[in-house]
Structures are given as C-alpha cells and as structure tokens.
Amino acid sequence: THCITVILLTFQTNIVTELKNWKLNLIQHHKLQMRQEKEKHTAHVKQLQNEVENLKELLHTYEISIGRKDEVVITNLSKALEKQKERVELMRRFTLWRIQHMKAKQEECSIRMADKHFQTALMKKVWAAWRSVCEERWKNNVAKACQLRAEDVCVQLTNDYEAKIAELTATVEQARAEILRLHSERDQYEDTMKKAFMRGVCALNLEAMTMFQSK
C-alpha cells in the first residue's frame, strides 16, 4: 500500500513537472517569437524612417530644382514626387496591415494558450477525481480485508478458547475423580485403623482379665 502511494505521488509529481516545463517552454517560445517580430518591426520602421528621410531630402532637392528649372522639369519632378508619395502611402498601409496581422496573431496565440491552460486545468481536475475514486475504493477494500481478517482471528481465538476450556474441564473432572478416590482411600484407611484399634483394645482387655483371674 505504501509503495502504491509513493508510485502515485511520484507519477503525479512527474506529470506536474512535465506540465510546468511544457508551459515554460511554450511561454519562452512565444516570447522569442514576439521578440523576433518586434525586432523585425523595429527594423522595418527604421527602414521606413530612412526612406522618409531620403524622400525628404529628395523633396528638398526637388524644391531647389523647381526653383531653378523650367515647367517641364517641374512637371517631371511633380510626377516623381507623386509616385514617391504613393509609394510612401503604400508602405504606410502595408505597415498598418502588418501591425494588425501581428496583433491578430498575438490574439490567436493567446487564445491557444488559454485553451491549453483550460485543458490542463481540466486534466488536473479529472486526475484528482480519478485519484479520489481510487483511494476510496482502496480504503473500502482494505476495510473489508481487515474486517474479514478480524473475523477469522475471532473465530480462531474462539476455537482456541473452547479447546482450552474443554481441556481444563477434562483436567478438573480428572482432579475431582482423584479427590473422590483419595477420600475413599482415606475412609477405608480410617475404618481399617478403627478396626485395628478396637482389636488392640479387645486384646488388651482380654489379657488384663486373664491376669486378674490368674491372680
């Protein structure tokens, strides 16, 4: 019984340790992914900032060129500037989409983690219920076994005591028979002594009478 309890405790400890390790590994993996995505996002934002700075410099150059060149150059620069603006707008939209995608991915990962945590908690509850049922059954089996053993011991003790009582009863009967025999022998001995004493008295009386008569 003690071995089974130790095995169950060891098995439960191993399961809890494995779940904790799995949870820690999952959290570390999630943190690593988040850090990598954040680094990517930071690098991308930095790249966009560099491009914006370059565009600002280009815009400044265009503004200087506009002041120096004719209408054709101004038109070409304006078209180029519009293209750059469109590109910046596209990059801005792409960045917003990427941020929303990352948020959705984070929410999905959080939902998965919450679901796994719920499943783990449910498994713990099921394990605790199963263990409680097993312990209750084990206690009932042990109680029944102890009761049967106690009944067997009581029956054995009753038989032993009855045999001992019968033996002592036989011994008492033998002692009583021996006492009766000794009483009978004593009565016979007393009767024999009385008879012998009476014979001795009679013999003394006859001898005394004979002596008196002779005198």
Side-chain angles (χ1 to χ4, degrees), residues 25 31 35 41 45-46 64 71 78-79 84 97-98 111 118 120 130 142-143 190 194 208:
N25 291 331
K31 288 182 178 179
R35 186 167 62 252
H41 176 67
V45 170
K46 188 174 181 180
I64 294 173
E71 186 178 355
S78 298
K79 291 181 179 180
Q84 290 296 330
W97 174 82
R98 188 176 181 84
I111 292 171
F118 173 76
T120 302
W130 177 78
V142 171
E190 290 178 352
K194 287 180 180 179

Side-chain angles (χ1 to χ4, degrees), residues 78-177:
S78 298
K79 291 181 179 180
L81 182 61
E82 289 296 329
K83 290 181 179 179
Q84 290 296 330
K85 287 182 179 180
E86 290 177 359
R87 184 182 177 187
V88 171
E89 181 65 21
L90 289 174
M91 294 301 295
R92 186 182 67 82
R93 291 180 181 179
F94 176 75
T95 302
L96 291 175
W97 174 82
R98 188 176 181 84
I99 292 172
Q100 292 177 356
H101 178 70
M102 287 178 62
K103 289 182 178 179
K105 191 174 182 180
Q106 291 177 359
E107 290 179 358
E108 183 181 358
C109 185
S110 299
I111 292 171
R112 285 201 304 268
M113 290 182 64
D115 187 41
K116 290 179 180 179
H117 179 70
F118 173 76
Q119 294 294 334
T120 302
L122 183 62
M123 288 176 62
K124 289 181 179 179
K125 289 182 180 180
V126 172
W127 166 256
W130 177 78
R131 183 183 177 187
S132 178
V133 171
C134 291
E135 288 181 353
E136 187 67 23
R137 290 180 180 176
W138 178 77
K139 288 180 180 178
N140 292 332
N141 293 331
V142 171
K144 289 180 180 179
C146 291
Q147 183 178 0
L148 294 174
R149 180 60 180 169
E151 290 177 357
D152 293 338
V153 171
C154 290
V155 171
Q156 185 64 34
L157 290 175
T158 302
N159 294 331
D160 293 339
Y161 282 131
E162 288 180 354
K164 191 70 175 178
I165 290 170
E167 183 180 356
L168 293 174
T169 302
T171 303
V172 170
E173 292 297 330
Q174 291 179 359
R176 287 179 180 176

